[in-house]
Amino acid sequence: MAVNYIYPEFEVVRNDTRCIRCRVCERQCANEVHIYDESLDMMVSDESKCVNCQRCVSLCPTRALKIVKSDCALRENANWSQDTIKEVYKQAGSGGVLLSSMGNPKPLPVYWDRILINASQVTNPSIDPLREPMETKVFLGSKNGRIERNEKGEIVPSLSPQLELSMPVMFSAMSYGSISYNAHESLARAATELGILYNTGEGGLHEDFYVYGKNTIVQVASGRSAATCPERRSAPTSAGRG
Amino acid sequence: MLKKEGKIRIPSGCAISAVISKSGERMDGRAIIESMRPMHERSNGLGGGFAGYGIYPEYRDLFALHIFYDDDNARTEAETYIRSVLETVRAENIPTRKIPAITDEPLIWRYFVTPLRSVLASMQLDENEFIARVVMRINTTIDGAYVFSSGKNMGVFKAVGYPEDVGEFYRLEEYEAYSWTAHGRYPTNTPGWWGGAHPFSLLDRTIVHNGEISSYDANRRYIEMFGYKCTLQTDTEVITYVADYLMRKKGLSLSETASVIAAPFWSTIERKPPEERDRLRFLRTAFPSLLITGPFSIILGFEGGLMALNDRLKLRSMVVGEKGDRVYIASEEAAIRAMEPEAENIWAPAGGEPVIVRVKEGAY
């Protein structure tokens, strides 16, 4: 079972002088929060399992139990709220997307009530969509429009070096440091497989990724002392041909 | 009652045809008019037109402007402007014949002009660029006036109606040309109006087009950066300007132009021999916004020749035939046979393969 570093959301507050050790709470809790400890002759509670269903609270004959929202709080930040941070921890801990029920538990506006869906044709679709293929290859680079010819009158290709993308998508720059090694490797491999480019950001280029040089744009900026930068030599300085 | 979208099938309409004499022999307009008759059903009567080359030999060094005017105000305004920049040697109504099939005609005038030497010198342009700018200026700034032909020793004749009727209306049997192109329209996107019929022309280049340009807006946005304005509400107009830009301003040859506007697929380019592959890559990379996608069959007419071209998937019909020194091009073999029953070597060019026919040097 994975270790959970988040402080539990709820706390079980038991008034011990009221508790008559009847163990109803132990028998009724579906999540096995309450346990009778024989040696100490008292009820102990594992609040990490409590979901605040309030069953033990309502069944306790002496009303000795109370479930409260924990006031153990992370540092306040309107951008990175407690809930967001905890959800990220939970997803990282479980490796899966969190599932919850339908509906909006937050006091946020319902955007669907504010959108007009207007189906209209804004552009000419492919006339023969079954037979007209889409070619998405794009070249980036200056196109001076100059035509040079040799003595035989044939065109001499004279474009400055171009970047060749299999489709008009590039990953934006996220530095090694702002995101992890694994994230960089994912981007580098994805760019290579798709035939597009990713950008190292200003954190420098790990030497393990030199092998993806053909699909790498190296950003040389203030965030990385550019003195050594051997990585620049492995990246496309003159990338592809026009 | 009006059929809804999806319930009415518009066949791949529009009809094109052309005939050219490689020896420069002049032909009157009757044959080309006849070629449009078997293709009557390809049009819907909303446009027809012809272009003839070599029709004004007595004014061969002057530009022949053909202009539509909605009314006399437009004409006065246009003529005032023309007088300020051009020397007019002759101005007259284009002779027409009143027939029941053609109605609501605008004023149709022609002017044989040359740039005023002083203005030309002060603008430091060559006369072709000068005339092109005059045409753009009239079409964009003078309401109700449209220059629809602006070449030397050639002319476009077009109207709303079936092409056979348009030919009769303009009395094309009275003109003699070494090369004729023709078009019958089935508008796909835009209203049928006199200015929207084909051929579209700028200087001596004319285009007749069967098809639909999916890339119209991309092409238009790019070409308008170079001073061309698309005013005639028809996608075909842009091909004319693209051809003018690539050939006159960039100096590309006809087949190089074809390699830009009907560029082969990247996968095809990769399989070519190295030098050709590099050249095709260069052309496609240097002018990506001038690739024309969508089905098309076009005939580009110019002084001294014709080029016929299909889109690279050959999504519209085109056949070529010949007899003696004449070459015939049309959307259907029936049209070729209507011009020349004994036509030989009928063949259909491949998609993206330009067919270039030239008149003997000096014969035009």
Side-chain angles (χ1 to χ4, degrees), chain A residues 131 135 143 145 149 164, chain B residues 250-251 256 266 284-285 313:
Chain A
R131 294 183 287 172
E135 288 187 301
K143 308 203 193 332
R149 295 185 186 269
E164 182 174 339
Chain B
K250 289 286 146 194
E256 286 162 357
W266 290 113
R284 218 183 144 174
T285 311
L313 290 172

Side-chain angles (χ1 to χ4, degrees), chain B residues 143-155:
Chain B
D143 248 348
Y146 299 95
V147 182
F148 62 97
S149 188
S150 50
K152 285 187 178 174
N153 196 10
M154 54 79 63

